[in-house]
Amino acid sequence: MASKPGILTEWPWTCLGNFKYLVLAPFVCHSTYTYFMSKDERQRDIVYIIILPLLLSRIIHNQIWISLSRYRTAKGNNRIVDKSIEFDQVDRESSWDDQIIFNGLLYYIGYLMLEQAHHMPVWRTDGIIIIGLLHSGPVEFLYYWLHRALHHHFLYCRYHSHHHSSIATEPITSVIHPFAEHLSYFTLFSIPLFTTVFTGTASIASFGAYVTYIDFMNNMGHCNFELIPKWIFSIFPPLKYFMYTPSYHSLHHTQFRTNYSLFMPMYDYIYDTLDKSSDTLYEKSLKREAEVPDVVHLTHLTTPESIYHLRLGFASLASNPHTYRWYFWLMWPVTLWSIMITWIYGRTFVVERNMFKNIKLQTWAIPKYRVQYFMKWQRETINNLIEESIMEADQKGIKVLSLGLLNQEEKLNSNGELYLKRHPQLKVKVVDGSSLAVAVVLNSIPKGTSHVVLRGRLSKVAYSIALALCQRGIQVATLHEEEYKRLNAKLTRGAATNLVRSKSYVSKTWLVGDGLSEDEQLKAPKGTLFIPYSQFPPRKARKDCFYFNTPAMITPKHLENVDSCENWLPRRVMSAWRIAGILHALEGWNENECGDMMFDLHKVWKASVDHGFRPLTLVTTSTDQSKN
C-alpha cells in the first residue's frame, strides 16, 4: 500500500477475495451462449468468444515469466539486483491478476458498446502499422511524462510508492499499482486500439499482439536477470533507443529518479534522465556467472500438486504451507503435463537461494515424487540422481550438502553412507541431519514427562530418540512386539530397562513416525501430543489432540530471501535436516553425518540456538500462521 493512499487506491472487487473472478462470469456466460447457442449467424462473433482465451493466455504468459525469473535468479547467472525478496513483497504482489480482470471487463464492455469492434478480421497489416506508430509516439511520450509526474511527492506517496516498494523486482511487479494508476495506464494503451477500431483497421491479430507485447516487455523489464544479448545492439545500434533491457529498468527501481521511459529509452535520452550507469550495469549483468553456494539442501517433489507450491510455481501458494486446494482438480492437465516433464527431463534443478550471514545457500530438487521412492525399480535411478548431485557439488567446491526428505532413506542409501563408500575422496560433507532432528524432538517433549509412546516406522532418528530418552530415565513404550524387539536390540543393557511393551494407551505424549494409523490415533487419550520424528507429518485424525510439526525450528531474521514455505511448515520455519547443513558450514565441522554417525546432541542443539534458531512450539506455530 502507498504511504498515504489516495482515492481509488483499492480495486473495486477487493472485498470479494478469491471470488473476484465472478465479476467476469456474466460476460463469459453471455459470450459462450451467444456463440454456441444463437441461431442468428450475425450474433456468432469469434471476437466476443476469444476474449476469455486471451485473458487465460495472459495469465499463463505471466506465470511462465515468474517461474523463469525465479529459476534464473536462484542460479545467479545474469542476476542484476542481489537484494532479497521477502514475504511482505509476495503478499503485496499476490493480486497481480487484478489488472487482467480489469482489462477483461473493459474488453467485454467495449465490445458490447462499440459496433465497430464486431466481426473484426483476423489480420490487417495497416492496423498493425498504426498501432506500432501510435505506441512509439503518443503512448511512449505521454507515459514518460505521466511517470515523471507520478514521482512528484504528492502523487508518489499516494500512488506510485506502492510499486516502488519492490527494490528487487519480479516480473509481476510490473503490474502492481493502485487502481487509479491502472486507469491512467489503460487510457494510454487504449489510444492505438481505439484508433484502429474507429478507423476500421482493427484486427484480432493486432489486438492480441499489442496486449502480448505490453505483457512481454513489462515482464522482461522486471525479471531481475539480464537476457538481451549484446550482439543485438551491435548489429543494429539504434535499437538501444527503442528497446530497454531488464538492467536498464532495474536502475529505475534502485535510483528512482532516472530511466523513466516505458519500453523505449529514447525519451530518457531526449530529456536527459538517462542513468549514466545503464551501460555498465548491463554489461556487468551479462557477464555474471552462476552462483556457487556454500551449502546445498537436496530435496525432492512430494505430491503431484507440489509443483504449484515450489518457489518456481505459484508465488502465492509457495508463500504458505502446502495444503490441497479444491481447484487443483481443474488443473489436472497441467499437473499431468508437469509429471511427464519431470520424467523426461530427469535432472536435478535449483529451486531457491538464501543467505545466512555470509553463507550462501541453495536448495536443489530431485524431479521425483514421494511415491516413486517406495518403488524398488526406481531406487537405482533415484540413487543415481542423488549421487550426480553430490558429485556436482563436490566439483563446484560446495562445502556441505544436506539430504532432505526421503533422499536419506535408510533402505535407499543407508542415510547417505552409500555415496561415501563409492567416493571416499569426496571433499563436500554429506549430512543427513539426524542429530539435530533428534535434538528438536527431545526438546519438544514437555518437561516433567516420565513416559512416552514411540510408534511408527523405526529409523535412525527413532533409535537415537529411544536411546536418549531411556538413558534419561524416561519410560519408552512400544505398541507392537516387533518394534519392541528391534529397539531392544539397539539399546544398551542399562537403557533397555526403560523400554517396555505396552498394550495400554494412557500416555499423552506420542512420538510418531511414518505408519501411524488413524485407528491408533483414535485410541490415544484426549489431549495427546503427537510429535513427529519423521520427515512427513502424520495424517490428522483427531480434533481434540495436538499435532506438532515435523522436526523444525524458527529461523532468525538474518536468514535472507525467504519468500516461500518449506513444504507444510509455517513461514520462516525450516526443517531440522536443512538447518543441520547450515550449522555444519557455520561451525566448520569437518566430518560427514551419514550411516550410523551421530553428533553430540547437546553440541548440535547449542549450536542451533547460538546461531539464532528458535524452538518451534504449538504456540509459536499458531501465532505464525495467524499472521499469514
Side-chain angles (χ1 to χ4, degrees):
M1 191 63 64
S3 54
K4 296 180 181 179
I7 61 171
L8 294 179
T9 293
E10 293 285 351
W11 291 81
W13 44 79
T14 301
C15 60
L16 295 178
N18 292 330
F19 295 98
K20 59 188 178 182
Y21 280 92
L22 291 177
V23 301
L24 293 173
F27 300 100
V28 173
C29 294
H30 183 253
S31 62
T32 305
Y33 178 84
T34 302
Y35 187 82
F36 291 104
M37 305 301 294
S38 177
K39 296 180 181 179
D40 187 352
E41 287 292 332
R42 292 174 297 180
Q43 292 186 350
R44 299 182 63 183
D45 188 358
I46 194 172
V47 176
Y48 195 23
I49 194 70
I50 209 172
I51 293 176
L52 179 61
L54 175 63
L55 300 180
L56 293 175
S57 70
R58 292 187 64 193
I59 293 175
I60 296 171
H61 184 186
N62 288 334
Q63 182 56 49
I64 290 172
W65 271 106
I66 295 168
S67 299
L68 176 63
S69 179
R70 288 189 159 201
Y71 174 70
R72 287 292 299 271
T73 53
K75 288 185 65 178
N77 51 320
N78 308 127
R79 190 169 63 233
I80 302 167
V81 178
D82 285 328
K83 187 174 174 63
S84 65
I85 295 173
E86 305 293 334
F87 284 112
D88 60 342
Q89 180 172 337
V90 177
D91 292 340
R92 187 173 62 252
E93 297 181 348
S94 62
S95 58
W96 61 269
D97 52 349
D98 278 341
Q99 49 92 27
I100 295 180
I101 297 174
F102 176 56
N103 289 354
L105 284 174
L106 295 176
Y107 296 154
Y108 279 119
I109 294 172
Y111 174 84
L112 294 174
M113 293 181 63
L114 299 175
E115 186 68 29
Q116 299 93 322
H118 295 189
H119 300 285
M120 286 192 299
V122 175
W123 178 273
R124 279 202 62 152
T125 304
D126 51 358
I128 292 177
I129 294 173
I130 290 173
I131 284 179
L133 292 174
L134 290 176
H135 176 83
S136 302
V139 173
E140 288 279 349
F141 176 77
L142 292 172
Y143 178 89
Y144 174 85
W145 287 106
L146 171 64
H147 196 179
R148 289 193 66 169
L150 287 169
H151 276 262
H152 183 276
H153 175 72
F154 181 84
L155 292 178
Y156 185 82
C157 65
R158 286 165 175 77
Y159 299 104
H160 203 53
S161 60
H162 181 63
H163 176 69
H164 274 278
S165 298
S166 301
I167 306 299
T169 60
E170 294 203 273
I172 50 176
T173 305
S174 61
V175 294
I176 302 304
H177 303 282
F179 178 59
E181 266 195 68
H182 269 288
L183 285 172
S184 61
Y185 295 148
F186 183 83
T187 302
L188 287 180
F189 294 139
S190 65
I191 292 174
L193 299 178
F194 279 125
T195 301
T196 56
V197 167
F198 291 131
T199 58
T201 57
S203 66
I204 295 174
S206 65
F207 264 69
Y210 188 50
V211 171
T212 303
Y213 166 76
I214 292 171
D215 283 345
F216 180 89
M217 296 300 288
N218 261 332
N219 285 317
M220 184 190 74
H222 293 79
C223 67
N224 198 26
F225 71 93
E226 190 54 75
L227 74 163
I228 305 298
K230 195 174 181 179
W231 61 262
I232 291 181
F233 298 107
S234 300
I235 293 174
F236 186 62
L239 186 62
K240 71 177 184 178
Y241 302 109
F242 298 99
M243 185 179 75
Y244 74 171
T245 65
S247 57
Y248 182 93
H249 188 70
S250 73
L251 283 168
H252 178 69
H253 277 263
T254 56
Q255 304 303 318
F256 299 104
R257 298 294 183 180
T258 57
N259 295 8
Y260 290 103
S261 293
L262 177 56
F263 306 141
M264 300 179 177
M266 58 182 176
Y267 292 106
D268 282 313
Y269 282 92
I270 293 172
Y271 297 107
D272 196 28
T273 52
L274 176 74
D275 195 293
K276 305 305 179 186
S277 62
S278 295
D279 291 339
T280 303
L281 181 61
Y282 169 68
E283 294 189 10
K284 180 182 177 181
S285 301
L286 276 180
K287 294 177 182 177
R288 187 167 188 174
E289 297 181 353
E291 194 168 71
V292 178
D294 300 296
V295 180
V296 164
H297 181 64
L298 189 63
T299 184
H300 62 79
L301 302 172
T302 53
T303 63
E305 295 80 17
S306 64
I307 58 164
Y308 306 125
H309 289 269
L310 287 177
R311 188 180 182 275
L312 307 181
F314 294 166
S316 59
L317 292 182
S319 64
N320 289 289
H322 187 164
T323 54
Y324 185 82
R325 306 299 176 96
W326 64 269
Y327 49 81
F328 282 166
W329 70 271
L330 295 172
M331 302 168 65
W332 68 265
V334 179
T335 307
L336 181 61
W337 174 80
S338 68
I339 293 174
M340 294 176 63
I341 291 296
T342 56
W343 278 65
I344 295 170
Y345 180 69
R347 289 195 61 185
T348 303
F349 56 95
V350 179
V351 176
E352 63 179 300
R353 70 176 180 94
N354 305 100
M355 281 288 295
F356 191 96
K357 297 180 180 178
N358 295 322
I359 302 293
K360 298 177 183 178
L361 316 173
Q362 277 188 356
T363 300
W364 298 356
I366 300 285
K368 296 292 181 180
Y369 298 92
R370 180 187 182 186
V371 65
Q372 292 173 277
Y373 280 74
F374 298 100
M375 299 176 180
K376 290 184 178 180
W377 60 277
Q378 281 283 302
R379 286 180 182 174
E380 183 178 356
T381 302
I382 293 172
N383 267 326
N384 288 338
L385 286 170
I386 299 173
E387 187 173 4
E388 288 172 5
S389 299
I390 293 174
M391 296 307 297
E392 181 182 351
D394 191 61
Q395 292 170 3
K396 288 183 175 181
I398 295 169
K399 298 176 183 177
V400 180
L401 185 143
S402 56
L403 299 172
L405 297 180
L406 299 178
N407 287 329
Q408 45 148 297
E409 178 68 20
E410 186 174 354
K411 292 182 179 179
L412 183 69
N413 51 45
S414 301
N415 299 105
E417 189 175 28
L418 172 67
Y419 314 116
L420 299 184
K421 290 181 177 179
R422 289 182 179 178
H423 308 282
Q425 302 303 319
L426 280 175
K427 295 180 181 178
V428 62
K429 300 306 174 186
V430 183
V431 176
D432 69 1
S434 298
S435 302
L436 184 58
V438 172
V440 169
V441 172
L442 294 178
N443 281 277
S444 299
I445 299 173
K447 292 183 179 180
T449 301
S450 58
H451 54 89
V452 301
V453 170
L454 185 69
R455 175 68 191 99
R457 189 172 62 84
L458 298 179
S459 62
K460 175 182 176 180
V461 172
Y463 288 125
S464 299
I465 291 172
L467 176 61
L469 290 175
C470 288
Q471 287 176 338
R472 295 179 184 183
I474 298 176
Q475 191 179 75
V476 178
T478 63
L479 304 178
H480 297 274
E481 185 67 29
E482 180 63 26
E483 291 177 1
Y484 173 79
K485 291 180 179 179
R486 291 176 61 188
L487 280 171
N488 192 59
K490 291 274 188 176
L491 300 182
T492 61
R493 182 175 299 179
T497 58
N498 287 311
L499 180 69
V500 297
R501 164 79 170 88
S502 176
K503 294 183 179 180
S504 64
Y505 295 82
V506 294
S507 177
K508 286 193 173 185
T509 302
W510 286 42
L511 310 181
V512 298
D514 296 329
L516 175 70
S517 67
E518 292 188 8
D519 289 340
E520 288 172 324
Q521 293 183 53
L522 295 174
K523 293 177 182 178
K526 181 180 179 181
T528 294
L529 302 179
F530 290 104
I531 305 175
Y533 59 77
S534 61
Q535 293 91 343
F536 288 85
R539 188 184 297 274
K540 299 178 181 179
R542 298 281 294 274
K543 292 184 178 180
D544 58 352
C545 294
F546 302 97
Y547 292 82
F548 282 65
N549 279 290
T550 51
M553 300 182 77
I554 302 171
T555 60
K557 291 182 179 180
H558 49 260
L559 176 66
E560 299 177 12
N561 206 47
V562 183
D563 60 359
S564 60
C565 291
E566 184 180 348
N567 298 316
W568 42 82
L569 296 175
R571 290 183 170 185
R572 295 199 68 88
V573 171
M574 187 178 285
S575 67
W577 294 272
R578 189 174 172 186
I579 296 172
I582 300 173
L583 294 179
H584 220 82
L586 289 170
E587 294 291 321
W589 292 331
N590 194 30
E591 50 190 323
N592 299 288
E593 186 186 17
C594 292
D596 295 329
M597 170 66 179
M598 289 286 292
F599 289 129
D600 180 85
L601 300 182
H602 175 72
K603 181 180 76 171
V604 172
W605 178 255
K606 184 178 183 299
S608 66
V609 175
D610 287 345
H611 285 290
F613 292 95
R614 294 188 291 125
L616 178 66
T617 64
L618 288 176
V619 175
T620 55
T621 300
S622 60
T623 302
D624 289 341
Q625 289 178 334
S626 67
K627 293 179 181 179
N628 298 341

